[in-house]
Amino acid sequence: MAATGHHGKGTGRRVIVGRRSAARARAVGLHSPGRFLDDGPLLMSETKVMMIGLDCAEPSLVLERWRDELPVLAGLMERGAYGRLTSVIPPITVPAWSCMMASRTPGDLGVYGFRNRSDHTYEGAFIANSTAITEPRLWDLVTRSGSPSIVLGVPGTFPVRPLNGVMVSCFLTPGTESQYTYPPGLRREVEEVVGEYLFDCTNFRTDDKEDLLRQVYEMTDRRFALAEHLLATRPWRLFAMVEMGPDRMHHGFWKYMDAEHRKHEPGGPYENAILDYHRHLDGLIGRLLAHADDDTVVFVLSDHGAKRLDGGIRVNEWLRREGLLTTLAEPDGVCSPRDVGIDWSKTVAWGEGGYYARVFMNVEGREPDGVVPAADYEAVRDDLAARLAAIPDERGNPIATAVYKPEELYPEVHGVAPDLIVVFGDLLWRSVGTIGGDEGVHTFENDTGPDDANHAQDGLYVVAGPGIAPVGRADAHLLDVAPTALELLGIERPAEMRGASMLPSLVAS
């Protein structure tokens, strides 16, 4: 399906980009050290791209509030360009990093979150690891061009797949007993360099904040140590890594930093924990830059941002109270609807918890025990969307909830998409899937453990290097990252990509 322009808020775009003229290339200094074909894209025969991903890095902190505290990142900003990087909807780690690296929407990938429906039964589900991503990502395209890559910790890379280069898999890896490297023999080398490699914190939703701090720093230091080792010992044209630490710090420590958080503790013991971690991270990034030569364009990227969490909307409890979800037994305290059983013969819709709500309708002829007549599907969906959007906060105040239909967000919708995508309260509220208990529809405790922050729609980017002018602030879209990297590398952009190269706005005018 061909399309141009934006397809709903935050979904990206598919833009057919005209080829740059040779004169234009020479004018902006991009003709050297590469070459230009009059009937093709700019070819940069020597340019390398270094991508340093910081999961959940928040632009208002990194680009603004703490800029003077982060000299390495501030230096990159001064030498190049930076800005907010609007994420896809939903703005969550899975699928956002794969969307970035493939320049494809969640609808294209058929991946709408960590867990997805595999069919229209009530139990069919899959976890969106690398086997769910069938579109080529940057390193696949670099491999096809004959050049090597280093890929480290990018979400959506477990199980590992062959490439020209090396890969160490992501936070979805079950543990070091799994085959987490390509080639397989790299695994022993990883262990020699850093000991036990840490994919993630064992539990970042915990009240043991000292242990969480220890885990985050240890994980981050080992990942960056491995990154330095690989940069020093492997050939590469593309280096792409993602550090999960910022996300874990935000979820664990946001209330101590943010005076507007309803659970803020003024002068608390962890008031500067997130800032201190960012200072540490800035120094580690500086060490990586020692491996970026004069032909290297450096990107620092995040897949989404972060903001305070005001509370949760118990979407299934709301559906139950509205008579739209019926259980087989009355819940005894807070539980999942599936713990007591769902009476599908009397259920119109059900939802999933998470940073946003995925709401599914029980449609006649589609689900096994569907009750919504197919002819009434749109009317029922519209009514449900309006009612969800009107859910207020615990005091009855509106919270600016946005409800989307997948076909309005994405030019193509693959897999089993939610019937409605619900972003409660501009992401200041999250979706909680439980029912029962005395809490009602609103909750101020997360169902998966203590959590201070939710995701924000905008991530960030900083880019500097040969051919990048000091243009300052220039906001962009997450889907534009891969086309930009491909143009820098002189690799043709696949027509299926939804984004467009950012280079026209990043070079001297």
Side-chain angles (χ1 to χ4, degrees), residues 187-504:
R187 179 176 170 181
R188 178 175 297 177
E189 186 176 339
V190 171
E191 293 164 356
E192 290 173 352
V193 173
V194 301
E196 181 185 2
Y197 183 71
L198 302 177
F199 303 99
D200 198 359
C201 302
T202 54
N203 178 20
F204 64 92
R205 292 189 173 102
T206 175
D207 288 318
D208 190 343
K209 302 303 182 183
E210 282 300 313
D211 186 61
L212 177 57
L213 274 178
R214 179 193 61 78
Q215 288 189 59
V216 172
Y217 274 85
E218 188 174 7
M219 171 184 69
T220 300
D221 287 347
R222 293 189 189 192
R223 185 143 34 245
F224 273 83
L226 180 58
E228 285 193 74
H229 171 77
L230 294 175
L231 285 165
T233 60
R234 297 299 194 279
W236 58 279
R237 284 201 74 204
L238 172 69
F239 170 83
M241 74 169 286
V242 172
E243 174 54 54
M244 295 299 298
D247 182 270
R248 294 353 188 181
M249 291 296 296
H250 291 158
H251 287 296
F253 296 96
W254 195 276
K255 71 181 179 184
Y256 300 100
M257 175 194 72
D258 188 351
E260 295 184 4
H261 198 289
R262 67 168 71 222
K263 296 183 179 181
H264 178 62
E265 300 177 9
Y270 303 107
E271 188 173 17
N272 294 316
I274 297 177
L275 172 57
D276 289 342
Y277 174 76
H278 277 73
R279 289 170 174 149
H280 183 71
L281 201 56
D282 190 69
L284 295 175
I285 292 170
R287 294 173 63 94
L288 293 191
L289 296 187
H291 300 274
D293 59 23
D294 292 341
D295 294 322
T296 304
V297 177
V298 176
F299 289 79
V300 179
L301 302 155
S302 69
D303 55 331
H304 55 78
K307 58 172 57 176
R308 74 177 191 273
L309 182 63
D310 284 349
I313 303 297
R314 302 176 69 208
V315 62
N316 284 320
E317 180 65 15
W318 179 85
L319 288 167
R320 194 169 77 105
R321 293 181 179 216
E322 294 292 309
L324 300 172
L325 186 154
T326 302
T327 55
L328 295 172
E330 189 66 20
D332 182 14
V334 176
C335 65
S336 164
R338 296 179 188 275
D339 291 339
V340 291
I342 297 175
D343 185 344
W344 296 110
S345 70
K346 298 178 182 177
T347 292
V348 170
W350 74 101
E352 299 287 349
Y355 302 113
Y356 78 108
R358 288 165 288 164
V359 175
F360 301 96
M361 291 170 55
N362 193 24
V363 182
E364 191 175 55
R366 192 184 73 174
E367 274 73 22
D369 298 310
V371 299
V372 178
D376 297 338
Y377 173 76
E378 286 299 342
V380 174
R381 186 164 65 150
D382 287 342
D383 176 69
L384 180 56
R387 292 161 72 181
L388 285 163
I391 297 174
D393 69 11
E394 79 281 10
R395 297 183 181 91
N397 301 313
I399 58 171
T401 293
V403 184
Y404 302 99
K405 299 176 181 178
E407 68 273 18
E408 295 173 347
L409 283 179
Y410 315 123
E412 295 185 17
V413 179
H414 296 156
V416 183
D419 292 289
L420 293 172
I421 292 170
V422 186
V423 178
F424 287 117
D426 192 29
L427 292 167
L428 290 171
W429 293 75
R430 65 173 289 149
S431 173
V432 176
T434 59
I435 61 172
D438 300 324
E439 291 181 305
V441 170
H442 303 89
T443 181
F444 306 101
E445 300 297 333
N446 188 34
D447 56 339
T448 56
D451 198 336
D452 290 359
N454 206 9
H455 292 176
Q457 187 64 51
D458 290 350
L460 62 83
Y461 84 95
V462 181
V463 58
I468 307 299
V471 297
R473 181 72 176 262
D475 295 348
H477 196 283
L478 176 146
L479 297 181
D480 297 334
V481 171
T484 307
L486 291 176
E487 184 170 2
L488 286 165
L489 294 169
I491 299 172
E492 186 174 359
R493 165 191 172 275
E496 294 80 11
M497 283 188 165
R498 300 292 181 186
S501 173
M502 298 155 57
L503 279 187

Side-chain angles (χ1 to χ4, degrees), residues 150-181:
I150 298 172
V151 181
L152 172 59
V154 180
T157 53
F158 180 83
V160 292
R161 294 177 179 172
L163 77 164
N164 181 351
V166 295
M167 176 180 287
V168 179
S169 61
C170 66
F171 80 116
L172 297 178
T173 309
T176 53
E177 70 282 357
S178 303
Q179 181 53 57
Y180 64 91
T181 68

